[in-house]
Amino acid sequence: MENKIRIAVYDNLSLFVEGVCCLLKDRKDLEIIEIKNGKNLLFEWLKNNIADIVVYGGGSSSKEYFEFLEVKKSNNISAKILFLANSIDLKEIKRLFKAGASGFVVHKSSAHNITMETDVIKKGRVFIDSSTKEKIVLNICGEDSIENIRNAEENLTAREIEVMKYICEGHNSKEISEELFISVNTVETKKKKILSKLNVKNSIGVLKYALK
């Protein structure tokens, strides 16, 4: 049997911690640890225990998130960190990922975002909730581009959508060809068709997320 993923859920508010744990309780592949009595207890627990993922909801400002990442780094804590927040500036989100964050979800996100992030993060990839991805894409491309992409998505074939999924996960053409049992040339052809149909030149990973 595969080892369970250990997730420590922290917030200053007990009700919040209990709510997140309730969303995750049916996942048989997860071991959930509730921590709700202050940051110092969280730090001490992480120094003496191993967690795969920390769901951190206790920050009142981005400054607190950066301080937590610094403590994590200085104490060689290996856990991946998912931050939950009301809102945060896009530039700050970028800085958080550069500082070592593995995910970011706004409090108003759906329960699906909370449960899906564990699957994404445990594979070594970053996770951003759908509403934040939307803001990122709007910031990069503008509103007209977003509408064009949404309209074009229905023109993608099932195989093109499959290839696009792997592109968004950071796989290169060789890896995609191995996953889908097709040639590298076929993958490259699919990529060109995807870009053409979506009428974009780059940032395909970010753009795909905006369609979810």
Side-chain angles (χ1 to χ4, degrees):
M1 181 177 176
E2 187 178 350
N3 291 333
K4 289 187 176 183
I5 302 167
R6 301 193 82 197
I7 299 183
V9 181
Y10 166 75
D11 194 277
N12 290 321
L13 300 175
S14 297
L15 185 62
F16 180 85
V17 173
E18 291 166 7
V20 172
C21 291
C22 184
L23 292 173
L24 299 172
K25 68 178 182 179
D26 293 330
R27 291 283 301 271
K28 303 300 182 185
D29 59 328
L30 306 179
E31 178 186 350
I32 312 298
I33 300 98
E34 298 183 19
I35 302 175
K36 48 193 175 184
N37 292 316
K39 285 185 296 182
N40 290 336
L41 180 63
L42 173 63
F43 293 146
E44 287 304 312
W45 189 90
L46 288 172
K47 289 176 184 177
N48 298 293
N49 298 272
I50 296 175
D52 298 298
I53 299 172
V54 174
V55 178
Y56 188 96
S60 57
S61 67
S62 60
K63 180 182 178 182
E64 185 172 334
Y65 297 142
F66 289 111
E67 289 174 350
F68 177 74
L69 288 172
E70 186 59 38
V71 171
K72 172 186 178 294
K73 182 179 179 181
S74 62
N75 287 278
N76 295 314
I77 296 169
S78 62
K80 300 180 185 301
I81 311 301
L82 170 76
F83 289 110
L84 304 182
N86 288 321
S87 63
I88 192 169
D89 183 77
L90 293 180
K91 291 181 180 179
E92 293 293 277
I93 293 175
K94 183 177 179 181
R95 287 182 60 219
L96 280 174
F97 282 114
K98 283 188 174 181
S102 293
F104 181 85
V105 176
V106 294
H107 284 159
K108 64 181 180 181
S109 293
S110 67
H112 175 67
N113 273 313
I114 300 296
T115 55
M116 188 171 67
E117 50 83 11
T118 59
D119 297 318
V120 174
I121 292 175
K122 74 180 181 182
K123 293 177 182 177
R125 300 192 295 271
V126 299
F127 182 87
I128 306 174
D129 70 89
S130 54
S131 64
T132 304
K133 290 169 189 170
E134 182 89 3
K135 290 180 181 179
I136 292 171
V137 177
L138 284 170
N139 187 48
I140 294 171
C141 306
E143 202 158 337
D144 291 341
S145 296
I146 295 298
E147 190 60 34
N148 290 338
I149 293 166
R150 286 179 175 152
N151 292 336
E153 186 187 18
E154 62 189 41
N155 295 322
L156 296 174
T157 66
R159 179 61 95 183
E160 287 165 353
I161 291 174
E162 202 170 12
V163 169
M164 187 163 62
K165 172 181 175 290
Y166 282 104
I167 293 171
C168 296
E169 292 175 349
H171 295 282
N172 60 37
S173 294
K174 185 176 184 297
E175 292 169 336
I176 296 172
S177 71
E178 292 172 352
E179 289 287 338
L180 299 180
F181 302 101
I182 56 179
S183 70
V184 173
N185 286 339
T186 300
V187 174
E188 291 297 330
T189 299
K190 297 293 183 187
K191 281 183 176 181
K192 290 177 182 177
K193 288 183 178 180
I194 291 166
L195 293 171
S196 176
K197 289 182 178 182
L198 296 183
N199 193 29
V200 295
K201 294 180 180 179
N202 48 42
S203 301
I204 186 66
V206 181
L207 293 167
K208 165 58 181 170
Y209 280 131
L211 301 175
K212 292 182 178 180

